[in-house]
Amino acid sequence: MSQDTLFDKVWDLHKVANLSGGSDQILIGLHLIHEVTSPQAFGALKDKNLKVKFPQRTVATVDHIVPTDNQSRPFKDNLAEQMIDTLENNCIEHKIKFFNIGSGNQGIVHVVAPELGLTQPGMTIACGDSHTSTHGAFGSIAFGIGTSQVRDVLASQTIAMNKLKVRQIWCENKLSNGIYAKDLVLHIINQLGVKAGVGYAYEFAGPAISALSMEERMTICNMSIEGGARCGYINPDERTFSYMKDKLCSPQNENWEKAVKWWKSLESSDNCIYDDVFRLDASKVEPTITWGITPGQSIGVNQKIPSLNEMHPNDQFIAEEAFEYMGFKPGQSIKNTPIDVCFIGSCTNGRISDLRVAAQVLEHNKVAKNVKAFVVPGSEKVAKEAKEEGLDKIFIKAGFQWREPGCSMCLAMNSDKLIGNQVSASSSNRNFKGRQGSPTGRTLLMSPAMVAAASITGKVSDVRDFVNK
Amino acid sequence: MSIKFKPPIGKFSRINGKCISLVGDDIDTDRIIPARFLKCIDFDSLGKSVFDDDRKNLKGNHPFDLETNKGSSILIVNSNFGCGSSREHAPQALMRWGIKAIIGESFADIFYSNCIAIGIPCFTLPKESIKKIQQYLNVKNLFLEIDLFESTAKAEKFKFNLEIKETSKKMFLTGEWDATSKLLENMDLIENKLNNLPYLKFNTN
């Protein structure tokens, strides 16, 4: 059993009681809600005649269902309008802070909370969304919960949960030029598999992780869940603190020093014990792309799609399904696969640094004919910053559509969807069957830079041919 | 006239029912209930939409459409079932279709805890046992009697020793799987813990 890791320290700090069934009652320091997984929870509270116990510990925004073309109200989609309306009413009734469209702070919940300084080291953070693991980048213990648990947090600020084991993923050396956090996390998931993280929290560490910016760290922690780990985190360091300094909700003035001192004490101790350690060499990571229907089915851009007999027997079942769905053949190159749609955005890769990198690739280039390309900033703040830097103009000039913030085609709950069996180059997190809105649509996950490169050539390309010139 | 769905309540120790097999590893919650059906403010209408994309692609030949599987309540699955999105809509849709228990090789974390929270016990069995049951289901119907207390599943010709987390098992046997009231009993402890959180002291704005 793990001891004295950041996970252990934060867990113990928030443990309220041992429940009679054997699980722990855990206090949630910050609860984030959005329109999709909260209405039924508020409904259940009403049924049980309960109130939101600590409304100041919950913050809301709207992201999943928002249109990215025309955000004027009422939304064209009646169901979407009903959902935002329900959230607005619930927030008013229960006195919950709500960052609505036009507030300047609306956006994807996992982009918004860190940029506001709501996300802080040492917190437990829960949200009815599996990518809540993102917030672990700051050394918080953050995980997705279902609607029944959203109800429990609203009612009691706690949930019943079994303590997770801790696996350290040690990333030696550094990423090479033209290789990004997305490549690294796809590589990690490929190496460990999509279910290795079940029952675990992942601690990402090592020189390659320390060298990452906070936004890159968020990309890594964001996709912990794609490796099966409900929670992923990185020990906070100077980079963490300098990112947080002077954010709207960060500690201010004399409280700042106190906070930093406490945050430093949270780090996994030198002699801490992990349940497992996995090591990899980050300098060996290539631009990585998925070829299948799970985020674990990926290869380097210059590699060939593996054949069944190269795979572990446990991986063959799902690989056969992937070949059939994707239309790829074993031994085929992924490079030069024609692309129909390019999507840059999502809680994985919709932050300002992602847009900067993509814009750098796109500058003085044009999107290939027949490719539909669009960029969806992760938040109103990201959009504003991008416009101030003139990034929107670079995207538009290259042939991208510049959209309003939201989750968009990561999960296609709005009108941004693939059509038929289109192939998308996507900076999002899931390549599941039907994920991007068409039951036969096909998704290739990759870094935003690689999406930008693919948009120019109209096919899967090696971004290093663009950035290293 | 449709009858309003009644979710399970209280303690229970037995589930008897017909099995339905769904073969495949890593079946994610987007497949169980595609995102377009998440545009709702209650769970009531989800039962009919379970596996909507897969069922449409298979044109009536999906296990959830086969006449022989009508009335099934015990779902037999393979490995990492319910991975991906945390949407509780997935187990809610399965439950509203008629599923009362799931037996599989393994489950994703969030899906598992969502199932427990709404009263669907999830049991695991080794790969070979699941294969045996699924092969049997290819030719015949199978009715299982699940005894939670003993952690067994019995049929005329089979008996399996099921695995389930001890904490989950206790919750069902005592009726405490509906957690809210249990959590609220500790309100004094909660308030005390909250008041002593270091970060609430320096987050004054």
Side-chain angles (χ1 to χ4, degrees):
Chain A
M1 215 164 73
S2 66
Q3 271 178 33
D4 231 16
T5 65
L6 178 141
F7 183 85
D8 292 282
K9 294 180 195 181
V10 177
W11 187 271
D12 291 348
L13 178 70
H14 292 84
K15 183 170 161 181
V16 172
N18 291 312
L19 293 169
S20 53
S23 51
D24 291 349
Q25 183 172 3
I26 290 296
L27 183 67
I28 301 303
L30 175 64
H31 183 213
L32 304 168
I33 59 170
H34 60 82
E35 74 285 9
V36 177
T37 56
S38 69
Q40 296 90 346
F42 284 107
L45 277 194
K46 197 166 264 175
D47 291 345
K48 287 174 186 272
N49 211 8
L50 293 167
K51 293 250 171 284
V52 177
K53 184 69 189 170
F54 304 102
Q56 70 281 15
R57 301 313 308 151
T58 295
V59 176
T61 192
V62 56
D63 52 11
H64 285 65
I65 52 96
V66 298
T68 59
D69 44 6
N70 179 359
Q71 296 193 330
S72 59
R73 300 280 301 276
F75 295 154
K76 264 186 268 169
D77 178 345
N78 289 334
L79 288 171
E81 178 59 29
Q82 191 189 8
M83 294 185 81
I84 188 172
D85 188 57
T86 304
L87 182 63
E88 283 169 335
N89 289 334
N90 282 327
C91 288
I92 292 168
E93 184 183 340
H94 297 279
K95 300 186 173 58
I96 291 167
K97 179 84 190 153
F98 176 40
F99 293 114
N100 206 343
I101 294 172
S103 65
N105 290 319
Q106 174 269 340
I108 307 173
V109 62
H110 312 307
V111 176
V112 164
E115 72 188 7
L116 289 174
L118 285 165
T119 300
Q120 296 177 12
M123 284 182 168
T124 45
I125 302 178
C127 173
D129 190 286
S130 62
H131 293 111
T132 309
S133 56
T134 310
H135 308 265
F138 293 79
S140 61
I141 296 306
F143 43 78
I145 55 178
T147 297
S148 294
Q149 289 187 311
V150 172
R151 171 203 65 204
D152 290 345
V153 180
L154 291 172
S156 74
Q157 206 59 37
T158 64
I159 56 166
M161 192 168 159
N162 292 329
K163 192 178 173 188
L164 299 168
K165 291 184 275 187
V166 185
R167 172 179 293 129
Q168 188 191 48
I169 299 176
W170 183 266
C171 303
E172 201 56 71
N173 297 321
K174 287 197 179 148
L175 294 174
S176 316
N177 261 353
I179 318 291
Y180 304 92
K182 180 65 156 287
D183 302 306
L184 175 58
V185 73
L186 284 172
H187 179 78
I188 291 170
I189 298 164
N190 174 266
Q191 292 295 298
L192 280 163
V194 290
K195 60 176 182 178
V198 173
Y200 281 90
Y202 278 176
E203 177 183 293
F204 300 98
I209 298 293
S210 301
L212 297 177
S213 71
M214 286 314 293
E215 297 197 345
E216 291 173 306
R217 293 179 191 186
M218 285 188 247
T219 301
I220 301 280
C221 291
N222 172 276
M223 288 193 70
S224 305
I225 184 64
E226 312 313 333
R230 198 169 179 173
C231 165
Y233 70 90
I234 294 168
N235 284 298
D237 60 12
E238 291 303 330
R239 205 162 277 201
T240 318
F241 311 143
S242 75
Y243 178 93
M244 292 180 63
K245 186 101 172 96
D246 299 325
K247 293 270 188 282
L248 186 68
C249 302
S250 291
Q252 309 288 332
N253 305 323
E254 72 280 3
N255 282 328
W256 175 256
E257 291 307 322
K258 284 186 211 161
V260 171
K261 194 178 165 203
W262 183 67
W263 293 338
K264 283 181 176 169
S265 73
L266 298 167
E267 195 182 352
S268 295
S269 306
D270 288 344
N271 54 357
C272 72
I273 299 170
Y274 298 99
D275 295 283
D276 188 34
V277 177
F278 177 79
R279 289 168 194 280
L280 66 91
D281 182 351
S283 67
K284 300 253 161 65
V285 177
E286 294 281 296
T288 304
I289 304 181
T290 62
W291 56 267
I293 54 171
T294 81
Q297 293 171 320
S298 69
I299 49 173
V301 64
N302 295 311
Q303 289 178 321
K304 300 218 184 306
I305 294 169
S307 59
L308 287 178
N309 57 24
E310 290 171 87
M311 296 177 202
H312 189 279
N314 287 347
D315 297 332
Q316 293 175 1
F317 201 1
I318 186 78
E320 284 183 275
E321 210 179 322
F323 288 135
E324 197 191 324
Y325 186 82
M326 297 298 289
F328 286 129
K329 295 201 165 43
Q332 189 180 335
S333 292
I334 191 101
K335 205 170 173 179
N336 295 328
T337 302
I339 298 293
D340 303 301
V341 177
C342 287
F343 170 62
I344 295 177
S346 84
C347 60
T348 311
N349 280 123
R351 297 187 177 77
I352 188 68
S353 57
D354 299 313
L355 269 48
R356 282 186 195 132
V357 165
Q360 205 186 339
V361 176
L362 288 170
E363 196 157 23
H364 312 301
N365 282 304
K366 286 271 179 232
V367 170
K369 226 170 82 181
N370 304 328
V371 168
K372 178 191 168 185
F374 64 115
V375 53
V376 182
S379 70
E380 292 181 345
K381 258 191 160 52
V382 171
K384 181 169 177 272
E385 217 173 328
K387 282 181 186 166
E388 282 164 7
E389 294 177 23
L391 302 184
D392 58 329
K393 292 201 175 66
I394 297 174
F395 278 106
I396 292 164
K397 199 175 164 199
F400 265 72
Q401 296 176 35
W402 178 264
R403 300 290 190 87
E404 303 294 334
C407 298
S408 182
M409 209 180 70
C410 174
L411 87 167
M413 274 192 79
N414 63 3
S415 57
D416 306 330
K417 294 179 199 299
L418 293 181
I419 300 164
N421 68 352
Q422 278 181 328
V423 177
S424 94
S426 182
S427 75
S428 56
N429 41 57
R430 288 184 175 141
N431 51 340
F432 298 154
K433 284 182 173 179
R435 170 77 177 182
Q436 293 192 296
S438 163
T440 50
R442 296 169 287 175
T443 302
L444 310 183
L445 301 176
M446 58 189 84
S447 74
M450 286 286 284
V451 176
S455 75
I456 297 164
T457 57
K459 49 199 184 186
V460 171
S461 305
D462 189 336
V463 69
R464 290 172 297 188
D465 296 339
F466 294 81
V467 292
N468 288 352
K469 263 186 204 163
Chain B
M1 201 178 78
S2 66
I3 303 160
K4 189 158 165 63
F5 169 80
K6 285 203 189 87
I9 43 165
K11 58 182 171 186
F12 56 88
S13 59
R14 280 174 189 281
I15 296 168
N16 300 336
K18 192 162 105 176
C19 296
I20 172 171
S21 160
L22 184 69
V23 176
D25 288 337
D26 307 311
I27 292 180
D28 58 77
T29 52
D30 273 87
R31 282 174 68 184
I32 299 174
I33 188 85
R36 61 183 175 278
F37 298 108
L38 273 49
K39 270 195 262 177
C40 56
I41 55 167
D42 54 44
F43 293 127
D44 296 344
S45 61
L46 294 177
K48 60 181 188 302
S49 312
V50 70
F51 293 110
D52 194 70
D53 285 354
D54 287 0
R55 287 162 78 176
K56 278 189 182 138
N57 285 341
L58 287 174
K59 300 184 174 68
N61 288 318
H62 189 277
F64 277 67
D65 285 323
L66 296 178
E67 195 57 35
T68 167
N69 286 330
K70 242 188 181 161
S72 296
S73 58
I74 300 173
L75 177 61
I76 312 294
V77 298
N78 298 99
S79 142
N80 200 27
F81 187 73
C83 59
S85 160
S86 63
R87 60 189 71 167
E88 190 175 298
H89 305 66
Q92 291 279 3
L94 288 168
M95 186 166 78
R96 279 163 169 77
W97 187 88
I99 298 301
K100 294 190 168 77
I102 312 179
I103 303 175
E105 290 171 39
S106 64
F107 299 93
D109 264 348
I110 305 179
F111 178 82
Y112 180 91
S113 55
N114 283 341
C115 284
I116 302 304
I118 66 172
I120 304 175
C122 298
F123 304 92
T124 55
L125 275 177
K127 202 180 183 71
E128 303 72 46
S129 307
I130 294 288
K131 201 170 172 185
K132 195 172 157 190
I133 297 176
Q134 288 180 329
Q135 280 172 346
Y136 186 91
L137 282 168
N138 281 339
V139 284
K140 275 183 178 171
N141 282 333
L142 175 67
F143 291 84
L144 281 178
E145 289 177 24
I146 297 177
D147 183 325
L148 252 162
F149 188 77
E150 302 278 342
S151 298
T152 55
K154 282 186 222 165
E156 235 171 81
K157 290 174 186 164
F158 294 112
K159 184 186 169 189
F160 295 101
N161 292 314
L162 304 170
E163 291 279 334
I164 183 166
K165 281 183 192 163
E166 206 54 33
T167 49
S168 311
K169 179 172 157 178
K170 274 189 191 161
M171 281 181 182
F172 291 118
L173 292 174
T174 58
E176 285 170 10
W177 52 271
D178 189 0
T180 321
S181 54
K182 203 75 203 154
L183 297 170
L184 285 169
E185 282 173 16
N186 291 330
M187 192 43 73
D188 289 350
L189 294 172
I190 296 170
E191 286 183 341
N192 186 41
K193 201 82 193 168
L194 195 65
N195 290 334
N196 285 301
L197 280 180
Y199 54 83
L200 288 200
K201 296 201 170 73
F202 48 67
N203 280 305
T204 48
N205 46 323

